[in-house]
Amino acid sequence: GGTVGDIESMIFLEALRQFQFSVGRENILFVHVSLVPVLGTVGEQKTKPTQHSVKELRALGLSADLIVCRSSELLSESTKQKISLFCHVDASHIISVHDVSNIYHVPLILVK
């Protein structure tokens, strides 16, 4: 957890970077959780924060296998494609987790 770039989390990110070489890249899965804000009355989904955080992690030697996108609404297919294109992650590996009325509904979303 935390924010990419915070000095407090750097030791953990470096530990993960080294760990992937210890166990082999095929034996570890990196899941990146990111906020996709929805702005204005138009409801435009902004992908730049996700693109930026993925870029920062790649600069540190960590590449996401899955990207879980938190948003107030379900991600549109075009938003998934845009994240896929700029983050070098297959669109099928981008998971939308939108706001729900109860935290216990999240596992039900993930099953779909």
Side-chain angles (χ1 to χ4, degrees), residues 17-36:
R17 188 189 70 78
Q18 291 180 25
F19 184 69
Q20 72 182 332
F21 299 117
S22 308
V23 298
R25 188 63 179 98
E26 66 280 356
N27 294 314
I28 192 167
L29 178 79
F30 289 118
V31 179
H32 183 87
V33 180
S34 181
L35 176 67
V36 176

Side-chain angles (χ1 to χ4, degrees), residues 3-72:
T3 302
V4 176
D6 283 350
I7 192 79
E8 296 87 1
S9 65
M10 294 305 281
I11 190 168
F12 299 106
L13 296 175
E14 178 59 20
L16 283 171
R17 188 189 70 78
Q18 291 180 25
F19 184 69
Q20 72 182 332
F21 299 117
S22 308
V23 298
R25 188 63 179 98
E26 66 280 356
N27 294 314
I28 192 167
L29 178 79
F30 289 118
V31 179
H32 183 87
V33 180
S34 181
L35 176 67
V36 176
V38 179
L39 300 181
T41 56
V42 181
E44 180 185 5
Q45 297 175 332
K46 303 303 277 183
T47 62
K48 195 57 93 175
T50 300
Q51 292 175 42
H52 178 71
S53 61
V54 168
K55 177 184 170 194
E56 289 295 313
L57 282 174
R58 292 188 80 173
L60 296 172
L62 298 170
S63 296
D65 298 299
L66 295 173
I67 299 177
V68 176
C69 296
R70 289 280 300 115
S71 187
S72 59

Side-chain angles (χ1 to χ4, degrees), residues 90-105:
D90 192 88
S92 65
H93 294 165
I94 298 171
I95 301 167
S96 176
V97 180
H98 57 280
D99 290 350
V100 290
S101 61
N102 187 318
I103 190 72
Y104 296 108
H105 294 156

